[in-house]
Amino acid sequence: MEKAFSECKKRCLNKCDISKKGNVDEDIVHLVSLLNSCEEYFTTSSCSGRITVIDTALENCGVQKKNLVWLYVSHTKCKFDDVVSALARSCGSAVLKFEPFVLHVQCRTQEDARLMLSAAVQSGFRNSGLTLGKTGKIILAVRCTHSLEVPLSHQGNLLVSHEYIDFLIGIANQKMEANLRLIERFYQSIQTTVIKKSTQKLQNKEDTNQSVVSEQRQEL
């Protein structure tokens, strides 16, 4: 199992990023790097959080994903003009969405997974959970429920006023700020609990190995 985890981690970290963005979001690079530096964990997918305007895929009016068109995507706070400009390109039913941080982490053991899950929940990601695969794979999903989804247009026609759009943008930006604070809290929690215990575990293992070697020498 130890060897299988290490090989799986090596393959995952060496393969190309096939996400639409193509790389790790800037606001979580430090977090992803920290997790991947640990022997017990590696990340399989992540998103720092995003504000989007998504439309139904009527005609070719944007970048399509399945039956949807992404009119606007931002991993930082958004601006009124950018959202209004995106809505002007709507061909169907447009929706403004805020999707919070999500992270999937493969863990070496159930003990390691429970430790990371505790850090996630205590940091505010209370919707986090574990998935145990039939082959022994342990995946932790770090997530919360601070989302937002509001319909703004139908058949290309705007349903709300610009004042209301500005109001919604304010709410979405507040959620983005709160989301980034939770990410930083999670990062600090990993440093003070998970990394500390991981280091202690490694030190105990080294002490045990040195003790065994010393006993063998005494026997000789």
Side-chain angles (χ1 to χ4, degrees):
M1 184 64 70
E2 292 281 325
K3 183 179 180 181
F5 178 86
S6 298
E7 292 177 348
C8 186
K9 177 175 181 176
K10 183 178 180 180
R11 287 196 304 270
C12 184
L13 297 184
N14 287 336
K15 70 180 182 180
C16 296
D17 190 330
I18 61 173
S19 66
K20 184 173 68 174
K21 188 169 181 289
N23 51 50
V24 177
D25 297 335
E26 182 178 351
D27 286 319
I28 57 173
V29 168
H30 65 309
L31 173 61
V32 170
S33 297
L34 177 63
L35 287 170
N36 289 334
S37 70
C38 300
E39 291 187 357
E40 297 85 359
Y41 309 99
F42 66 91
T43 61
T44 59
S45 65
S46 63
C47 177
S48 64
R50 62 190 179 190
I51 299 172
T52 60
V53 177
I54 301 176
D55 199 20
T56 52
L58 299 177
E59 304 178 3
N60 295 323
C61 54
V63 179
Q64 294 191 23
K65 182 179 181 182
K66 295 183 179 179
N67 63 331
L68 301 177
V69 177
W70 298 70
L71 300 176
Y72 174 77
V73 181
S74 176
H75 293 275
T76 60
K77 292 192 293 184
C78 62
K79 297 179 181 179
F80 174 81
D81 289 344
D82 293 333
V83 173
V84 171
S85 177
L87 289 170
R89 302 194 303 274
S90 173
C91 305
S93 299
V95 176
L96 174 70
K97 299 180 66 176
F98 167 74
E99 298 171 284
F101 167 74
V102 62
L103 177 72
H104 291 92
V105 183
Q106 187 164 335
C107 310
R108 186 181 292 273
T109 68
Q110 291 189 34
E111 179 185 354
D112 297 326
R114 285 192 293 267
L115 182 61
M116 186 66 69
L117 175 60
S118 177
V121 172
Q122 291 176 9
S123 299
F125 296 104
R126 294 184 174 83
N127 203 36
S128 301
L130 297 174
T131 300
L132 304 179
K134 293 181 180 180
T135 59
K137 181 184 295 185
I138 307 168
I139 299 292
L140 166 65
V142 181
R143 56 200 175 198
C144 65
T145 57
H146 299 163
S147 58
L148 175 71
E149 183 171 349
V150 183
L152 298 179
S153 70
H154 180 62
Q155 295 182 347
N157 297 314
L158 195 61
L159 299 175
V160 299
S161 67
H162 281 190
E163 288 78 12
Y164 186 63
I165 294 173
D166 190 47
F167 170 73
L168 289 177
I169 289 173
I171 294 176
N173 286 339
Q174 288 176 4
K175 287 182 174 292
M176 181 63 79
E177 290 176 350
N179 177 70
L180 294 177
R181 288 195 294 271
L182 290 183
I183 291 173
E184 192 58 30
R185 188 184 302 171
F186 183 41
Y187 177 76
Q188 296 297 333
S189 180
I190 292 173
Q191 284 189 312
T192 57
T193 58
V194 178
I195 300 300
K196 183 177 180 180
K197 289 189 177 182
S198 176
T199 302
Q200 184 61 51
K201 180 180 178 181
L202 180 62
Q203 183 62 51
N204 291 340
K205 184 177 180 179
E206 291 178 350
D207 291 343
T208 299
N209 291 338
Q210 290 178 358
S211 178
V212 171
V213 171
S214 178
E215 291 177 357
Q216 290 175 342
R217 288 176 176 175
Q218 289 179 0
E219 291 178 356
L220 292 176

